[in-house]
Amino acid sequence: MWITPGALADESTEGTEGSEDVQSGITVTENITDTGNLLGSHVAEVTDAIAQVKETTGVTVRLMYLSSFNSEEDPATWAGDVLEYLDPDPNTVMLAVASNDGNLVVAVSSNSEDWLKNQTSVDALSDAAQQPLMESTPNWSQSAIAMMDEITVLYTSKSNEPIVLGVAIAACVVAVLAVAVVAVVLVRRRNAKRSRHSAKRRRHSAKRHRGSGRSKHGERKEREDSIPPSGDAGSDVKKEDTELQDGIQETLSQTDHS
């Protein structure tokens, strides 16, 4: 990230209380190199913020404020090379500023985790550090603190990823179960409907069979009613035989008399 030289102004007019290095305009600590006294009296505040970020996120922050990088290399390349030369701990972020050149660079050590060293995170850290410097009076200490606040934001987002993933998986499982329940209900309703229709067809079929049986029985009864009883038919035959025999005997009698 780049800032215009006009936006760079040191805060050397602020209080000079503190170590002998601060009084001489130079601050050099384990994590801070400030040759132009840009942090002024806020060194302790920034140091506390560095310690807090380390405790919360495990990220080591280094701040380097120089008048110039004194290099023809690309500022980002130069800052990255310097950081690697310092043999940094894993997850180390360095904010390097060349106040006379108008350069501001955020470099992340190569042994850092991806959530910190990916380009999206580096850009977010650079933007956060640059915003306080765009004011009418650049606020160098707030620039460093804003970058550290962004580190915490990125870390929190990374830490919440498993929770978000778990919630997403749980939501998918619930959705699948809901679909399964609906499918089971629909199948059961369809089977019940088919069973009702099948039972209804069986009842209708039974009624038709019973009606057909009654019709056949009626026909048989009519046929039986049309046939004379066996006893009456025999009497008629016997009567006719008797009359025939009487006629024959009468004829024979008449013949004998003649």
Side-chain angles (χ1 to χ4, degrees):
M1 298 295 295
W2 304 85
I3 57 177
T4 60
L8 294 167
D10 63 52
E11 294 176 339
S12 58
T13 57
E14 296 187 8
T16 58
E17 297 179 352
S19 66
E20 183 178 351
D21 288 332
V22 172
Q23 293 175 353
S24 65
I26 298 176
T27 300
V28 178
T29 67
E30 181 181 359
N31 300 95
I32 301 174
T33 299
D34 183 7
T35 61
N37 195 27
L38 297 182
L39 295 178
S41 63
H42 297 284
V43 172
E45 178 186 356
V46 173
T47 300
D48 290 342
I50 293 173
Q52 182 62 43
V53 169
K54 178 67 175 181
E55 179 181 353
T56 303
T57 68
V59 175
T60 300
V61 175
R62 302 181 70 100
L63 304 177
M64 182 176 291
Y65 299 97
L66 306 173
S67 60
S68 176
F69 293 152
N70 294 319
S71 173
E72 295 182 356
E73 282 188 289
D74 173 74
T77 302
W78 179 89
D81 291 343
V82 170
L83 179 58
E84 294 303 319
Y85 176 79
L86 296 174
D87 190 22
D89 294 332
N91 293 338
T92 295
V93 175
M94 184 176 74
L95 173 62
V97 173
S99 57
N100 291 344
D101 299 337
N103 292 328
L104 181 150
V105 179
V106 172
V108 179
S109 63
S110 60
N111 57 354
S112 297
E113 298 177 43
D114 185 66
W115 68 268
L116 183 61
K117 70 178 180 179
N118 68 75
Q119 191 58 49
T120 300
S121 295
V122 173
D123 290 344
L125 295 176
S126 298
D127 290 342
Q130 185 178 7
Q131 289 304 315
L133 305 181
M134 303 306 293
E135 301 174 5
S136 57
T137 301
N139 191 328
W140 296 102
S141 60
Q142 188 57 42
S143 170
I145 293 173
M147 185 194 71
M148 288 184 273
D149 289 343
E150 186 65 23
I151 292 174
T152 302
V153 170
L154 294 174
Y155 176 79
T156 302
S157 299
K158 183 267 299 185
S159 301
N160 289 336
E161 285 179 359
I163 298 176
V164 174
L165 180 60
V167 172
I169 293 174
C172 291
V173 171
V174 171
V176 170
L177 290 177
V179 172
V181 170
V182 171
V184 170
V185 171
L186 291 177
V187 169
R188 288 183 176 178
R189 287 182 178 177
R190 183 172 58 188
N191 290 340
K193 187 175 181 181
R194 288 180 175 176
S195 298
R196 290 194 298 269
H197 287 173
S198 178
K200 187 175 181 181
R201 286 196 297 270
R202 288 195 297 269
R203 288 195 298 270
H204 288 172
S205 178
K207 289 181 179 179
R208 286 197 298 270
H209 285 306
R210 288 196 296 270
S212 176
R214 285 196 298 270
S215 298
K216 291 180 179 180
H217 178 73
E219 292 175 358
R220 286 196 301 271
K221 190 174 186 308
E222 289 177 358
R223 287 196 299 271
E224 291 174 356
D225 291 344
S226 63
I227 300 175
S230 59
D232 294 343
S235 299
D236 292 342
V237 171
K238 289 180 179 180
K239 183 177 180 180
E240 290 177 355
D241 290 343
T242 301
E243 292 177 351
L244 179 60
Q245 291 177 0
D246 291 344
I248 294 173
Q249 289 178 358
E250 183 178 355
T251 301
L252 291 176
S253 178
Q254 291 176 357
T255 302
D256 290 339
H257 287 296
S258 61

